[in-house]
């Protein structure tokens, strides 16, 4: 257990390698990932207040990781993938989320002094923040259907939460992969993996900041149904891709080195294609 929880440095070239690995996983089970995309689409239509963004992001990560792990192990049938989601250790994940929620609650108590920021956290829209709150109150944005506004804000907001909190990706992945069932150990392992792979964390953080800038830009200009629908479709695809990158990060930090992992994924996909 102690050895498994010791994170390893990620090999150089991880951006391109994880892109190839993600494509290989998608090719290995297109039906399973199409179903996963539809599930994420339906989940994001529902209203999700920003204050619940971390618990929701952890749940979304667990689902994406479970599907990726099942496909990586050679399960491509939708029923098999569904069972892999069912078999996720949800109770340890709940305890992990509870421990994270206590940390977030402590931070929120400090933020009570910053009322404008707190107003963004408690607002109706998932991606609302001090930077975008005025844009999301514009007449053009309010004229869009509520379900479409939710779909955009939830998809982009959850993706940004996952990118900006890389330790969550790793902590959830440690539990889903069965390395540990103790939330606090998974959380510590996630922080350790971030410290060991600072350059990867900085890459994720930069992507999060760029996405926040894109959200600010789009929220001031999305006033037509067609454009908003296109952004919604792309936002869910981006959320899925972020999850797959997170899975690759977990596998390399706590499992196989990058080169060995890429070979195993490629062999699995070729075997499935020949079946």
């Amino acid at each position: 257990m102690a050895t498994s929880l010791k994170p390893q440095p990620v090999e150089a070239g991880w951006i391109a390698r994880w892109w190839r690995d993600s494509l290989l996983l998608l090719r290995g089970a297109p039906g399973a990932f199409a179903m996963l995309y539809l599930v994420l689409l339906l989940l994001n239509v529902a209203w999700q207040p920003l204050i619940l963004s971390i618990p929701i992001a952890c749940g979304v990560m667990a689902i994406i990781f479970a599907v990726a792990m099942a496909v990586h192990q050679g399960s491509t049938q939708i029923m098999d993938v569904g069972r892999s989601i069912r078999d996720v250790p949800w109770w340890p994940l709940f305890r992990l989320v509870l421990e994270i929620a206590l940390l977030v609650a402590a931070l929120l108590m400090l933020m009570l002094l910053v009322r404008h920021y707190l107003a963004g956290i408690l607002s109706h829209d998932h991606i609302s923040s001090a930077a975008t709150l005025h844009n999301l109150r514009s007449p053009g944005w309010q004229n869009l259907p509520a379900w479409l506004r939710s779909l955009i804000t939830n998809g982009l907001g959850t993706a940004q939460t996952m990118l900006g909190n890389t330790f969550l990706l790793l902590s959830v992945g440690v539990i889903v992969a069965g390395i540990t069932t103790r939330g606090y150990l998974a959380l510590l392992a996630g922080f350790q993996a971030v410290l060991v792979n600072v350059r990867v964390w900085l890459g994720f953080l930069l992507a999060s900041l760029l996405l926040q800038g894109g959200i600010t830009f789009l929220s001031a200009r999305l006033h037509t149904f067609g454009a908003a629908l296109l952004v919604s479709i792309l936002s869910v695809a981006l959320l899925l891709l972020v999850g797959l990158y997170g899975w690759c990060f977990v596998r390399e930090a706590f499992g196989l080195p990058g080169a060995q992992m890429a070979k195993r994924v490629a062999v699995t996909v070729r075997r499935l294609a020949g079946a």
Side-chain angles (χ1 to χ4, degrees), residues 55 58-59 62 88-102 172 175 181-184:
C58 288
V88 166
W90 290 107
W91 176 242
L93 279 172
F94 174 77
R95 287 183 296 184
L96 171 64
V97 170
L98 182 61
E99 292 164 7
I100 294 172
L102 292 175
V172 171
I175 291 181
T181 57
R182 298 180 182 180
Y184 72 94

Side-chain angles (χ1 to χ4, degrees), residues 35-84:
M35 183 63 67
L36 174 59
Y37 180 89
L38 292 176
V39 169
L40 295 177
L41 200 70
L42 293 175
L43 288 176
N44 287 325
V45 168
W47 174 56
Q48 299 176 11
L50 184 58
I51 197 170
L52 296 178
S53 61
I54 288 181
I56 291 170
C58 288
V60 169
M61 278 184 272
I63 294 173
I64 297 175
F65 287 0
V67 174
M69 183 167 63
V71 174
H72 186 266
Q73 294 173 348
S75 300
T76 59
Q77 300 299 319
I78 293 179
M79 293 299 295
D80 295 335
V81 173
R83 280 191 288 270
S84 69

Side-chain angles (χ1 to χ4, degrees), residues 25 28 46 57 61-62 86-87 96 110 161 180 193 206 224 232 234 272:
L25 287 171
M61 278 184 272
R86 181 200 62 189
D87 295 337
L96 171 64
L110 297 176
T161 299
T180 182
L206 176 60
T224 63
S232 299
L234 294 177
L272 294 173

Side-chain angles (χ1 to χ4, degrees), residues 177-199:
I179 298 174
T180 182
T181 57
R182 298 180 182 180
Y184 72 94
L185 286 179
L187 191 59
L188 289 174
F191 277 114
Q192 289 175 350
V194 167
L195 294 176
V196 171
N197 296 281
V198 172
R199 70 187 188 281

